[in-house]
């Protein structure tokens, strides 16, 4: 309820600020740039572009960049710029980057933060500044319970992904003993909690640390448990190293993990033979099968690279902000109001983007897919049924 009240009050305040004719070329006097500076507005991308989880962030940044580049081609006399905030996926680095973004009055919207841990510390700063965000990938459910008026999520959260992963383990893999491990991050620990709600009491449970490289103690416990499935909550570097050491010790089971591991770099870390058969979930459809010309355009723009996880989501949610700017919503407050009332279908994902009062994506639009490592590639497996 407090969230709804905040949004209503925000809408009243925004309404008082709305002025006519604030199109891109106009002498707008907006809070974002002032005067003709409205034509140099910025959209920020906030996520890991270097570090151990950069593979996930780069595809999302590329989706955002592609959308902005296409917009600028069609609006060459009034361009929008991309500002990159490389968090390295580290919550400790996020506050300073968020302060940097809110301090740049040209920045009117943020795509991200990409990860849940960095969202927990950066989003309060964005909220205080009234800087609207749409995350393409931060899936911790509690992010939408903080009364942040600026928060929007372009995919389902882990109350959809976690149970779906649990159903895959029970109904497809038909595992009788499941061991669960998480990396103690806001994302990894929360995802494991959601999986356990479906699989019940696991055969064993353990925790590791981000940047840990020696997993011998965990390997021994997993083998001793007799588990034939390991669910891992965390990111691809630790997942790859853990599986490599586990299979090296003779374990014959299957690893299942969430979207934090759903990246080709997982195979590089684990090794192709070790990674073969691993199941990776995502509250997203395969980006490689996105609609329209997205895949062709992405490959043409980025050296023939296949679009990775959430690249198509980032593209579509960036276009929401660009639509708002094109419509004259050139201040942070106006763009926030535009996003709150948005109802339109993404050209790449086919998802109808409209947001609940707490910023969550309309539940009717939420899907979860399972992907599988096959012959050295992450390929689509099945869309996991909702029940």
């Amino acid at each position: 309820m407090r969230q709804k009240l905040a949004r209503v009050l925000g809408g009243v305040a925004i309404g008082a600020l709305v002025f006519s004719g604030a199109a891109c070329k106009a002498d707008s006097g907006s809070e974002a740039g002032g005067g003709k500076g409205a034509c140099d507005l910025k959209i920020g991308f906030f996520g890991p572009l270097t570090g151990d989880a950069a593979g996930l962030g780069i595809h999302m940044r590329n989706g955002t960049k592609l959308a902005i580049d296409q917009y600028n081609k069609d609006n060459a006399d009034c361009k929008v710029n991309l500002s990159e905030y490389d968090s390295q996926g580290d919550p400790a680095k996020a506050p300073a980057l968020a302060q940097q973004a809110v301090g740049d009055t040209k920045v009117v919207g943020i795509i991200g933060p990409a990860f849940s841990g960095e969202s927990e510390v950066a989003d309060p700063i964005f909220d205080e500044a009234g800087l609207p965000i749409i995350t393409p990938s931060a899936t911790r459910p509690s992010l939408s319970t903080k009364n942040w008026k600026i928060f929007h999520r372009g995919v389902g959260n882990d109350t959809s992904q976690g149970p779906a992963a649990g159903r895959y383990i029970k109904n497809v893999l038909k595992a009788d003993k499941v061991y669960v491990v998480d990396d103690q991050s806001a994302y990894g620990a929360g995802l494991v909690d959601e999986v356990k709600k479906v699989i019940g009491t696991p055969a064993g449970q353990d925790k590791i640390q981000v940047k840990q490289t020696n997993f011998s103690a965990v390997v021994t416990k997993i083998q001793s448990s007799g588990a034939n499935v390991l669910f891992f909550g965390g990111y691809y570097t630790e997942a790859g190293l853990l599986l490599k050491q586990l299979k090296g010790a003779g374990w014959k089971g299957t690893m299942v993990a969430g979207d934090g591991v759903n990246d080709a770099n997982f195979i590089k870390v684990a090794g192709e033979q070790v990674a073969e058969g691993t199941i990776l979930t995502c509250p997203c459809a395969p980006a490689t099968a996105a609609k329209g010309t997205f895949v062709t355009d992405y490959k043409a723009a980025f050296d023939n690279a296949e679009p990775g996880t959430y690249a198509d989501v980032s593209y579509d949610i960036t276009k929401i902000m660009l639509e708002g700017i094109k419509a004259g919503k050139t201040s942070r407050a106006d763009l926030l109001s535009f996003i709150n009332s948005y109802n339109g279908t993404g050209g790449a994902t086919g998802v109808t983007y409209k947001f609940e009062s707490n910023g969550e994506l309309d539940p009717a639009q939420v899907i979860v897919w399972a992907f599988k490592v096959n012959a050295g590639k992450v390929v689509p497996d099945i869309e996991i049924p909702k029940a």
Side-chain angles (χ1 to χ4, degrees):
M1 181 60 75
R2 287 185 59 193
Q3 181 78 3
K4 288 184 178 179
L5 179 60
R7 286 174 182 261
V8 169
L9 292 174
V12 172
I14 290 163
L17 293 172
V18 170
F19 52 88
S20 61
C24 201
K25 294 180 182 177
D27 188 1
S28 69
S30 76
E31 70 179 70
K36 296 183 183 303
C39 285
D40 297 316
L41 295 177
K42 300 176 181 177
I43 293 175
F45 174 81
F46 194 113
L49 299 175
T50 59
D52 290 343
L56 292 164
I58 288 171
H59 284 290
M60 291 183 250
R61 185 277 313 277
N62 287 353
T64 290
K65 185 177 188 305
L66 178 60
I68 292 175
D69 287 348
Q70 291 177 344
Y71 178 89
N72 287 340
K73 185 177 180 181
D74 294 336
N75 299 273
D77 58 342
C78 189
K79 294 184 177 180
V80 171
N81 298 310
L82 170 64
S83 287
E84 298 179 356
Y85 301 96
D86 178 11
S87 66
Q88 299 180 31
D90 184 353
K93 299 182 185 302
L97 289 172
Q99 292 289 1
Q100 182 182 340
V102 302
D104 184 345
T105 57
K106 292 282 188 180
V107 178
V108 292
I110 295 288
I111 303 301
F115 291 173
S116 295
E118 61 193 19
S119 296
E120 287 192 329
V121 291
D123 286 357
I125 297 170
F126 293 138
D127 190 59
E128 185 174 358
L131 179 57
I133 70 157
I134 311 177
T135 178
S137 55
T139 54
R140 186 174 177 85
S142 62
L143 294 176
S144 65
T145 67
K146 310 287 188 181
N147 291 328
W148 297 325
K149 61 183 180 297
I150 50 82
F151 180 80
H152 306 84
R153 182 160 22 215
V155 295
N157 63 36
D158 286 337
T159 61
S160 58
Q161 180 177 206
R167 290 194 295 276
Y168 190 98
I169 291 169
K170 287 184 67 174
N171 302 333
V172 179
L173 297 179
K174 300 187 185 302
D176 57 353
K177 289 188 176 181
V178 183
Y179 203 98
V180 297
V181 175
D182 72 73
D183 66 354
Q184 305 183 62
S185 69
Y187 158 69
L191 183 58
V192 161
D193 286 343
E194 296 300 327
V195 171
K196 288 193 297 184
K197 291 177 182 177
V198 174
I199 65 170
T201 303
Q205 181 170 359
D206 215 332
K207 294 181 180 294
I208 62 150
Q209 294 182 337
V210 174
K211 296 191 179 299
Q212 184 174 336
T213 57
N214 185 333
F215 299 99
S216 57
V218 182
V219 165
T220 299
K221 292 177 185 177
I222 295 171
Q223 284 192 300
S224 299
S225 74
N228 46 16
V229 165
L230 165 64
F231 183 84
F232 179 78
Y235 297 97
Y236 63 74
T237 297
E238 288 78 19
L241 291 173
L242 171 58
L243 186 61
K244 189 173 185 177
Q245 293 173 31
L246 191 55
K247 290 289 182 75
W251 188 65
K252 304 296 184 186
T254 301
M255 174 183 271
V256 179
D259 53 335
V261 185
N262 196 336
D263 188 89
N265 283 292
F266 164 70
I267 302 170
K268 292 181 181 178
V269 175
E272 184 174 331
Q273 187 174 356
V274 167
E276 185 74 7
T278 301
I279 302 299
L280 306 170
T281 61
C282 182
C284 63
T288 51
K291 301 180 185 304
T293 62
F294 173 77
V295 175
T296 301
D297 293 345
Y298 187 97
K299 294 175 74 170
F302 303 110
D303 297 326
N304 207 37
E306 295 279 356
T309 302
Y310 296 129
D312 51 342
V313 177
S314 290
Y315 175 83
D316 278 351
I317 61 178
T318 302
K319 292 192 77 168
I320 294 174
M321 292 191 179
L322 291 168
E323 279 186 49
I325 292 171
K326 182 70 174 178
K329 313 304 181 187
T330 56
S331 71
R332 292 172 178 175
D334 283 354
L335 191 57
L336 174 59
S337 180
F338 180 85
I339 296 167
N340 284 342
S341 61
Y342 190 82
N343 186 346
T345 301
T349 62
V351 168
T352 297
Y353 290 97
K354 53 182 179 179
F355 301 98
E356 304 282 281
S357 61
N358 60 0
E360 293 281 11
L361 181 66
D362 175 9
Q365 301 299 318
V366 172
I367 57 173
V368 181
W369 269 74
F371 297 76
K372 192 171 190 176
V373 178
N374 182 32
K377 291 186 176 181
V378 178
V379 299
D381 185 17
I382 61 169
E383 182 178 348
I384 303 175
K386 292 188 176 182

